[in-house]
Amino acid sequence: MDSQQDQNAPPAAAAADEKAFKLTAFSDEAHDSTFHFQILHLTDQLYIWVGCNTVRMGHMYAALATPWDRTPSVAALLGGGANSTGASMARRLSMRTGWSIVLASSLPSNSPTIEAFAEQRLFQELKSLGYVKPISKSSNRAPPTSATKLQA
């Protein structure tokens, strides 16, 4: 958007644009490595990028909860497989935060210490930003029935 459009936008529209997304970027050092993180809060999901000693995008995964299972479903969007470390991290972040997660990860393979640090540091930041939703009391989700669909 150019600045002229911003000036002509109604105040309500400008406020809605500001709340539409929020970007948080930070870095940390551990295990002789530099970690870079970006969290983009969109309307109904979080887009997260994690890099270690690089600024490449890496593999990308999407994890989201379904009404049929407690464990979020995961899909590999770019590279990697659904059973890789990045996919597991996306699934755990979705479970722990309650958000749909799109995770781009550029972490070295076969390095569980680095992967664990990145996930722990990322969750710590998500929690401090208020992106961890309360977990519902009901842990068993049932598939929606036709009566439930009609009521919704």
Side-chain angles (χ1 to χ4, degrees):
M1 250 190 213
D2 64 42
S3 59
Q4 188 175 19
Q5 288 176 338
D6 288 343
Q7 292 172 354
N8 296 331
D17 285 343
E18 288 177 17
K19 293 184 179 183
F21 67 90
K22 179 182 175 187
L23 177 65
T24 304
F26 61 99
S27 296
D28 205 344
E29 291 188 10
H31 307 289
D32 297 326
S33 300
T34 302
F35 294 85
H36 305 285
F37 302 87
Q38 283 187 341
I39 302 168
L40 181 59
H41 173 226
L42 302 168
T43 304
D44 293 325
Q45 68 182 356
L46 296 174
Y47 170 83
I48 299 168
W49 172 77
V50 180
C52 178
N53 295 329
T54 184
V55 291
R56 290 181 335 171
M57 185 169 161
H59 302 300
M60 183 182 284
Y61 306 92
L64 60 141
T66 68
W68 297 278
D69 194 357
R70 258 180 32 106
T71 305
S73 295
V74 178
L77 303 177
L78 290 173
N83 293 326
S84 69
T85 302
S88 299
M89 184 186 296
R91 177 179 286 120
R92 285 189 301 270
L93 288 170
S94 181
M95 282 177 47
R96 294 176 74 187
T97 63
W99 287 89
S100 295
I101 301 285
V102 175
L103 173 71
S105 171
S106 184
L107 297 173
S109 58
N110 300 324
S111 193
T113 306
I114 287 178
E115 295 160 3
F117 173 80
E119 185 174 344
Q120 178 185 16
R121 180 64 180 94
L122 183 56
F123 184 74
Q124 176 186 6
E125 191 70 21
L126 290 169
K127 193 172 182 180
S128 73
L129 291 168
Y131 294 153
V132 178
K133 296 179 180 179
I135 298 173
S136 66
K137 302 278 186 204
S138 171
S139 61
N140 295 332
R141 295 183 188 174
T145 63
S146 58
T148 308
K149 289 179 187 176
L150 293 174
Q151 292 174 358

